[in-house]
């Protein structure tokens, strides 16, 4: 069942520059405090959805051209939401719950921890302070970051798709590719991400197959309110 659903998702999302990686809810809940658990049985089938560098040209620009007058919030969020609601229609006999990376619970906690989901699904390795044996940061707070084996840091985690009626007790867990494997490189990655993230160097910590175009870099480097102008949207669209 997982294979069939996975193939349908990949054939729908692949042409849009989106990737879907399967996992069991139990894998995710096992590594988190109860406050962050997803409220589903352990064997429930879920997919984490990532956007790759090609999403900008394959999905965002066509979406903006077509839906120009209907864009009332962040264009990327709205584009992903639009395409995932169309993907849900491909499963008329299934209940499909969607959670987006920007959604919050009433407690102000995120609905899901995106980087943990990507790691347990084997999509990208979530490098954290605990992955460094002799850390040099003392009392500083150090945030972790996911690195994709193909895109380095040039990708984003956008959503979860959950299939509450599909149980996959025999799904095997793939390990994420540990592509930043030396202590030295991991320290460099966490330093760059925590203290110099604006310059984006952390994204190239590994040899990447594809990165954001100059146009896409400019788009994401621009303040959200100004992005409408870059896409040729008027401010009124907000």
């Amino acid at each position: 069942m997982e294979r069939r659903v996975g193939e349908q998702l990949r054939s729908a999302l692949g042409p849009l520059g989106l990737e879907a990686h399967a996992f069991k809810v139990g894998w995710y809940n096992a590594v988190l405090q109860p406050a962050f658990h997803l409220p589903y049985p352990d064997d429930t089938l879920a997919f984490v959805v990532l956007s790759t560098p090609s999403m900008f040209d394959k999905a965002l620009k066509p979406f903006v051209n077509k839906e120009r007058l209907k864009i009332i919030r962040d264009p990327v969020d709205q584009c992903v939401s639009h395409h995932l609601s169309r993907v849900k229609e491909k499963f008329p006999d299934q209940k499909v719950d969607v959670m987006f990376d920007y959604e919050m619970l009433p407690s102000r906690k995120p609905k899901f921890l995106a980087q943990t989901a990507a790691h347990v699904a084997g999509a990208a390795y979530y490098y954290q302070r605990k992955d460094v044996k002799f850390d040099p940061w003392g009392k500083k707070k150090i945030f972790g970051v996911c690195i994709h084996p193909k895109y380095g840091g040039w990708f984003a985690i956008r959503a979860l798709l959950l299939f509450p009626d599909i149980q996959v007790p025999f799904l095997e867990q793939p390990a994420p590719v540990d592509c930043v494997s030396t202590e030295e490189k991991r320290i460099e990655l966490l330093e760059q991400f925590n203290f110099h993230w604006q310059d984006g160097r952390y994204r190239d910590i590994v040899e990447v197959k594809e990165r954001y175009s100059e146009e896409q870099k400019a788009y994401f480097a621009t303040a959200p309110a100004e992005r409408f102008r870059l896409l040729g949207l008027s401010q009124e669209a907000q």
Side-chain angles (χ1 to χ4, degrees):
M1 188 67 175
E2 175 277 324
R3 189 164 293 158
R4 199 167 80 236
V5 174
E7 279 165 8
Q8 275 181 278
L9 281 180
R10 284 183 271 277
S11 70
L13 297 175
L16 301 167
L18 298 169
E19 286 184 357
H21 297 263
F23 69 98
K24 286 204 300 193
V25 165
W27 302 344
Y28 173 91
N29 287 350
V31 295
L32 291 171
Q33 303 289 334
F36 290 103
H37 284 186
L38 293 170
Y40 299 85
D42 280 354
D43 287 336
T44 305
L45 177 63
F47 290 83
V48 62
V49 177
L50 316 179
S51 60
T52 73
S54 66
M55 188 272 285
F56 193 78
D57 286 325
K58 288 178 174 174
L60 182 65
K61 284 157 89 180
F63 172 77
V64 166
N65 287 335
K66 191 158 163 277
E67 308 288 334
R68 186 167 293 273
L69 299 172
K70 296 188 197 148
I71 293 178
I72 49 167
R73 55 172 203 271
D74 181 84
V76 174
D77 291 348
Q78 212 167 323
C79 169
V80 172
S81 168
H82 164 80
H83 285 298
L84 292 187
S85 61
R86 290 185 63 180
V87 162
K88 278 177 73 165
E89 291 163 13
K90 294 188 184 296
F91 301 96
D93 306 329
Q94 294 294 344
K95 184 173 179 347
V96 186
D97 294 342
V98 185
M99 294 180 187
F100 294 100
D101 65 304
Y102 51 82
E103 289 186 298
M104 296 285 183
L105 294 165
S107 64
R108 304 303 298 152
K109 282 194 179 81
K111 276 199 172 175
F112 73 98
L113 298 183
Q115 303 204 100
T116 301
H119 186 93
V120 299
Y125 200 108
Y126 183 23
Y127 291 97
Q128 300 174 74
R129 189 173 192 157
K130 65 182 175 58
D131 295 310
V132 172
K133 286 193 189 71
F134 303 103
D135 94 45
W137 301 296
K139 289 194 162 59
K140 286 182 185 156
K141 184 151 181 58
I142 297 293
F143 293 96
V145 60
C146 268
I147 295 295
H148 191 287
K150 190 171 166 192
Y151 307 117
W154 301 102
F155 78 103
I157 302 155
R158 300 292 178 190
L160 289 189
L161 295 173
L162 296 120
F163 291 79
D165 301 329
I166 302 180
Q167 302 296 301
V168 283
F170 303 112
L171 190 62
E172 287 189 20
Q173 186 168 10
V177 179
D178 179 6
C179 46
V180 187
S181 52
T182 68
E183 175 93 349
E184 203 177 22
K185 273 288 188 198
R186 289 177 182 187
I187 290 173
E188 187 186 332
L189 169 65
L190 293 174
E191 287 270 330
Q192 287 181 0
F193 179 68
N194 280 273
F195 308 120
H196 310 284
W197 62 269
Q198 293 93 332
D199 65 22
R201 278 180 303 154
Y202 79 89
R203 298 177 189 271
D204 285 313
I205 194 76
V206 295
E207 192 74 36
V208 298
K209 302 270 193 303
E210 205 182 323
R211 56 170 64 82
Y212 292 175
S213 62
E214 290 308 314
E215 180 188 17
Q216 188 170 180
K217 283 185 204 167
Y219 177 82
F220 286 116
T222 302
E226 298 293 306
R227 289 175 183 173
F228 286 84
R229 197 171 41 76
L230 284 183
L231 291 172
L233 294 167
S234 65
Q235 291 297 96
E236 290 80 77
Q238 292 181 66

